[in-house]
């Protein structure tokens, strides 16, 4: 099977752009990815595109061919929907396709237009990623669901709001130099603790923002990269996917993420690495507690100890295993359909030395991207490594 090289990456700024359409955003990201890769559009054999709420925010289904047109690609195109893990799932399917030899060049990415719906509309649209019959109709939204998970964690393992506040502070600090980030401003622990409550024990600064944005990747086989003298030193060497019951009340544990653990174990085994080999990671921190659960699911922190990782400096930019050097969803933003592929882009840039925070992981050879859907009923994990050229 062929190794899958990340030949090019493209991102729009993440933020508040209610006047921009999804196709406009994806066109911008795609242009950047093609320019970065040096791969001609005519060589693209298919587009794998992630999007969650376009039917609601733009009254637009069947987005695959629409986005291929926006990207200037004449090739079959498929939309992937797995809530906030939509483009992570698209990346996984593209990796498998290239590995089998069926394709040599694929365009992969995602986009989401959210802010035009307003806060109430976007919250309602996001809620359909939960169980409508047993959760949504009872008034559960994701801030409430993750608050239940946070409280369950505190009850089982200990911890307090200040521990979560350190995660928010860390990720805002990481976003300061990221020109694609929605929030490029520092915050203090006191800011988090004094912010308006959203759903106890979570406050405003524990939650990621509503965002617009797009991401794009040009993925190629190793053979194509060599034949065309591409500068593509970063490869996706491991991919995994996991699932869990949709509704929280059907789960054995609220304070753990079995889907992410399953995806991580599969990705590690696929790449032939383990958690000790991981130099840094981009994890799905839609809420601060989500970062804790991700760290433990990926074995980057022992069960029950992820809550103290940011406070004690283990996951800060200067820590043993820096987490979310992009700023994460918390500060970089979370246009849900774009997030999974954007994490791959951030890890690629960090490993190749082209990221504002690359100096924090100057000797890194292995990074991980973790993308989750809903309350982690869906999850994908990818291992990326620097390869010799």
């Amino acid at each position: 099977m062929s190794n899958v090289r990340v030949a090019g990456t493209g991102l729009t700024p993440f933020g508040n752009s209610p006047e921009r359409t999804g196709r406009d955003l994806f066109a911008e990201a795609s242009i950047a990815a093609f320019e970065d890769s040096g791969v001609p559009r005519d060589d693209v054999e298919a587009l794998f595109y992630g999007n969650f709420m376009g039917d609601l925010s733009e009254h637009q289904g069947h987005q695959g061919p629409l986005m291929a047109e926006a990207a200037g690609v004449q090739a079959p195109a498929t939309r992937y929907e797995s809530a906030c893990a939509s483009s992570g799932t698209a990346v996984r399917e593209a990796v498998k396709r290239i590995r089998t030899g069926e394709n040599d060049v694929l365009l992969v990415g995602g986009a989401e237009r959210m802010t035009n719906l307003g806060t109430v509309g976007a919250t309602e649209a996001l809620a359909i990623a939960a169980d409508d019959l047993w959760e949504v109709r009872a008034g559960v939204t994701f801030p409430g669901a993750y608050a239940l998970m946070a409280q369950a964690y505190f009850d089982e393992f200990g911890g307090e709001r200040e521990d979560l506040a350190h995660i928010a502070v860390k990720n805002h600090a990481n976003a300061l130099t990221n020109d694609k980030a929605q929030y490029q401003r520092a915050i203090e622990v006191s800011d988090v603790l004094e912010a308006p409550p959203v759903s106890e024990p979570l406050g405003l600064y524990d939650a990621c923002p509503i965002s617009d944005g797009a991401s794009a990747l040009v993925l190629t086989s190793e053979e194509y990269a060599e034949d065309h003298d591409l500068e593509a030193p970063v490869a996706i060497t491991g991919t995994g996917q996991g699932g869990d019951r949709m509704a929280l009340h059907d789960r054995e544990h609220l304070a753990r993420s079995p889907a992410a653990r399953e995806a991580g174990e599969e990705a590690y085994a696929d790449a032939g690495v383990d958690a000790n080999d991981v130099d840094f990671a981009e994890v799905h921190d839609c809420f601060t507690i989500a970062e804790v659960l991700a760290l433990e699911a990926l074995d980057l922190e022992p069960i029950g100890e992820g809550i103290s990782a940011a406070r004690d400096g283990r996951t800060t930019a200067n820590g043993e295993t820096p987490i979310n050097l992009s700023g994460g969803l918390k500060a970089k933003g979370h246009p849900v359909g774009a997030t999974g592929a954007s994490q791959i882009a951030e890890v690629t840039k960090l490993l190749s030395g082209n990221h504002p925070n690359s100096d924090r992981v100057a000797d890194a050879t292995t990074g991980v991207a973790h993308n989750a859907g809903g309350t982690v009923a869906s999850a994908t994990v990818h291992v990326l490594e620097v390869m010799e050229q």
Side-chain angles (χ1 to χ4, degrees):
M1 292 190 298
S2 174
N3 275 324
V4 178
R5 296 298 180 103
V6 185
T9 67
L11 298 172
T12 68
F14 285 7
N16 189 346
S17 304
E19 74 289 348
R20 298 191 67 182
T21 62
R23 69 187 83 185
D24 177 32
L25 292 164
F26 191 64
E28 179 182 335
S30 300
I31 289 170
F34 282 119
E35 289 179 349
D36 186 42
S37 70
V39 173
R41 284 177 173 79
D42 288 346
D43 285 2
V44 173
E45 298 162 271
L47 165 64
F48 290 4
Y49 174 77
N51 177 267
F52 172 51
M53 63 173 66
D55 308 73
L56 299 176
S57 67
E58 299 196 283
H59 195 63
Q60 182 65 65
H62 200 197
Q63 290 197 21
L66 187 70
M67 296 306 168
E69 181 181 350
V73 170
Q74 293 185 351
T78 304
R79 172 188 175 185
Y80 288 82
E81 188 279 299
S82 190
C84 307
S86 292
S87 60
T89 303
V91 170
R92 174 169 163 78
E93 293 304 311
V95 167
K96 293 194 293 182
R97 183 79 71 87
I98 291 174
R99 282 181 169 183
T100 65
E102 185 173 348
N103 295 114
D104 280 311
V105 181
L106 296 174
L107 178 63
V108 190
E112 210 73 69
R113 185 184 182 195
M114 302 173 67
T115 62
N116 63 307
L117 293 174
T119 300
V120 173
T123 300
E124 291 179 349
L126 287 166
I128 68 170
D131 187 320
D132 179 72
L133 184 60
W134 297 111
E135 294 181 313
V136 180
R137 297 185 192 188
V140 174
T141 62
F142 282 109
Y146 274 93
L148 290 172
M149 296 163 78
Q151 192 57 60
Y153 188 98
F154 290 167
D155 291 345
E156 186 169 355
F157 302 115
E160 56 188 12
R161 287 194 62 214
E162 186 169 344
D163 296 308
L164 298 178
H166 281 277
I167 297 171
V169 169
K170 167 183 71 71
N171 292 346
H172 272 259
N174 289 341
L176 288 174
T177 57
N178 187 350
D179 63 357
K180 305 299 184 185
Q182 186 163 350
Y183 294 142
Q184 298 171 50
R185 64 173 183 265
I187 59 174
E188 304 292 335
V189 168
S190 59
D191 295 322
V192 184
L193 297 179
E194 294 168 9
V198 174
S199 184
E200 292 289 350
L202 304 179
L204 184 63
Y205 280 114
D206 288 294
C208 69
I210 295 168
S211 314
D212 305 308
S215 58
L217 309 168
V218 177
L219 303 184
T220 74
S221 65
E222 190 168 52
E223 293 77 12
Y224 180 95
E226 292 175 352
D227 290 346
H228 292 79
D229 295 321
L230 299 183
E231 187 175 344
V234 177
I236 301 175
T237 59
T239 180
Q241 185 170 359
D244 198 2
R245 291 180 176 272
M246 188 88 143
L248 290 181
H249 68 261
D250 284 331
R251 298 184 187 178
E252 184 178 357
H253 297 286
L254 293 190
R256 301 189 189 181
S257 294
R261 176 165 292 279
E262 181 181 346
E265 289 175 350
E266 183 179 5
Y268 288 158
D270 190 32
V273 303
D274 61 31
N276 293 322
D277 298 310
V278 177
D279 296 305
F280 66 92
E282 290 286 314
V283 305
H284 197 98
D285 62 322
C286 50
F287 296 89
T288 49
I289 187 62
E291 178 167 315
V292 176
L293 301 179
L295 294 179
E296 296 182 6
L298 296 173
D299 282 334
L300 299 176
E301 286 285 328
I303 298 294
E305 296 184 24
I307 190 68
S308 63
R311 183 194 65 204
D312 293 346
R314 298 192 298 277
T315 55
T316 60
N318 296 318
E320 305 160 24
T321 309
I323 300 296
N324 287 332
L325 286 169
S326 69
L329 285 60
K330 174 65 199 73
K332 180 187 172 186
H334 183 30
V336 293
T339 290
S342 79
Q343 292 174 315
I344 300 288
E346 297 284 0
V347 173
T348 298
K349 291 191 290 183
L350 284 160
L351 286 172
S352 59
N354 298 322
H355 192 280
N357 282 328
S358 286
D359 61 332
R360 303 293 191 173
V361 285
D363 299 321
T365 60
T366 305
V368 162
H370 156 269
N371 188 202
T375 47
V376 205
S378 303
T380 62
V381 173
H382 290 92
V383 177
L384 288 83
E385 297 183 78
V386 178
M387 312 298 285
E388 293 184 6
Q389 284 193 295

